[in-house]
Amino acid sequence: MSETSRPLAIVTGASSGIGFELAKLALDQGYDLIIAADEPEIHDVTFALEADGAVVSAVQADLATTEGVDRLYDVARELGRPVEILIANAGRGLGHAFLDQDFEEARRVVDTNIVGTIYLVQKVGRDMREANRGKILLTGSIAGFMPGSFQAVYNGTKAFVNSFAFALRNELKDTDVTVTCLMPGATETRFFERAGMLDTKVGQQEKDDPADVAKTGWDAMLRGDGDIVSGLKNKIQSAIANVTPAGLLAEQHRKMAEPASADEK
C-alpha cells in the first residue's frame, strides 16, 4: 500500500490523553495522521505513533489562535489529499473561582476550546461538504451539562461545544458528512494538573481510562452517532443533570471542584 492510498485524519490535542489514544486508533485503522498540539512534546509523539507504511506529520501550533489553526490547515493542504476524519480534541481547563483567575488564562480556555475549535471545523468542514464525505469528532464533556462552580469558564465552553456539535450535525443532515460529539467525564489525563485542580475532590478521585474513552468516541464516530457519553457512571450523571435544577447542580459541582485552599478562607 502506498502512502497516498491511505486516508488522512487530523487529530488535535494529540500529545497525550484522549487525543493520543484517538490518534493510535486512527493509525491502527489505516489512516495517515496529522497530529497537532501547542506543546513541543507533539514531535516526540510522532515516533511513538509511526507504523509501517504510515505517515505521521506533527504540527506544533497554538490552536487558540487563528494563525495556529491556519498553520495546521496549510499542512493538510500541502499534502494534497482530502481530510477524511477531523478529530477536534484540543482543549484547556482552568480551576478555582472565576474572580480569582487571571483573565488571560480564562480567555485562553475560551480561545482554545471554542474559537480555535470552530475555526478549524469550519475550514475542514467546508472541504468535506464540497466533497460530500467525511467525519468530524468533537470532544465535548459531561461538564457541559452543569454549571461549573470553580470551573465556570471551562464548563461554559463545553456547553458551547456540545450545543455546537448538534447544530452543525443538523445543518449537514442532507450530506454524507457526519458530526459526533464525545462527552467524557473525569479522565486520567494531565488535564487536572494543568488546570490547577489536583487539590480538589474530582482531581483526586479515580478517573476513566483515556484509551476506553477514546475507543467509545471512535466507534460512535464510525457509526455516525450524534453524541456519546463515555462510561455508565457518566451516562447516569448526565441523565440526572438534565432534570436537576441548575442551582442544585452548581452546588454539587462546587463540592467536586472547590480547591482545598478555599475551605481555609
Side-chain angles (χ1 to χ4, degrees):
M1 180 181 289
S2 67
E3 64 181 43
T4 56
S5 67
R6 297 170 63 97
L8 182 64
I10 292 176
V11 184
T12 66
S15 58
S16 63
I18 297 170
F20 175 72
E21 298 297 337
L22 284 165
K24 286 170 57 179
L25 288 168
L27 197 65
D28 290 344
Q29 293 296 313
Y31 286 81
D32 283 342
L33 292 177
I34 301 174
I35 55 174
D38 62 1
E39 305 157 323
E41 289 88 346
I42 194 65
H43 297 289
D44 299 329
V45 171
T46 302
F47 300 106
L49 290 173
E50 283 182 336
D52 291 341
V55 174
V56 181
S57 302
V59 180
Q60 182 184 349
D62 186 354
L63 300 178
T65 67
T66 55
E67 294 82 6
V69 172
D70 284 337
R71 181 180 175 192
L72 171 58
Y73 181 71
D74 288 344
V75 170
R77 291 293 294 264
E78 287 168 4
L79 292 178
R81 299 153 57 191
V83 176
E84 302 289 347
I85 288 177
L86 169 62
I87 299 178
N89 172 76
R92 185 174 296 273
L94 187 64
H96 296 272
F98 172 69
L99 296 183
D100 296 330
Q101 292 172 348
D102 178 272
F103 183 75
E104 289 305 314
E105 292 185 7
R107 179 175 176 173
R108 189 165 179 79
V109 173
V110 174
D111 288 343
T112 302
N113 298 2
I114 296 179
V115 180
T117 295
I118 66 172
Y119 184 51
L120 177 61
V121 168
Q122 187 181 71
K123 292 178 79 69
V124 177
R126 282 174 172 169
D127 294 337
M128 288 181 171
R129 183 181 62 180
E130 183 177 353
N132 196 35
R133 69 175 186 272
K135 295 183 180 296
I136 299 171
L137 178 65
L138 290 142
T139 300
S141 175
I142 66 166
F145 294 127
M146 60 195 76
S149 305
F150 294 91
Q151 209 176 356
V153 174
Y154 173 78
N155 283 39
T157 64
K158 289 304 181 178
F160 177 95
V161 172
N162 294 353
S163 175
F164 171 78
F166 278 106
L168 180 61
R169 178 181 175 84
N170 180 264
E171 291 177 7
L172 293 169
K173 69 177 184 177
D174 296 325
T175 75
D176 290 330
V177 180
T178 62
V179 180
T180 302
C181 187
L182 169 61
M183 302 175 187
T187 305
E188 194 61 59
T189 69
R190 296 164 62 189
F191 173 88
F192 294 96
E193 176 186 355
R194 292 170 174 169
M197 297 182 65
L198 292 180
D199 63 341
T200 65
K201 184 176 180 180
V202 68
Q204 296 173 4
Q205 72 180 18
E206 184 178 353
K207 303 174 185 62
D208 296 331
D209 185 334
D212 293 339
V213 174
K215 186 65 164 58
T216 297
W218 177 267
D219 290 346
M221 177 190 68
L222 293 186
R223 292 192 301 266
D225 295 349
D227 68 301
I228 186 71
V229 175
S230 61
L232 177 60
K233 178 185 68 175
N234 298 321
K235 292 179 189 295
I236 294 172
Q237 185 176 351
S238 61
I240 293 173
N242 285 326
V243 295
T244 302
L248 182 56
L249 287 173
E251 185 60 30
Q252 291 173 347
H253 197 281
R254 180 191 189 105
K255 294 175 182 177
M256 296 295 295
E258 185 175 16
S261 57
D263 295 332
E264 300 169 359
K265 292 182 179 180

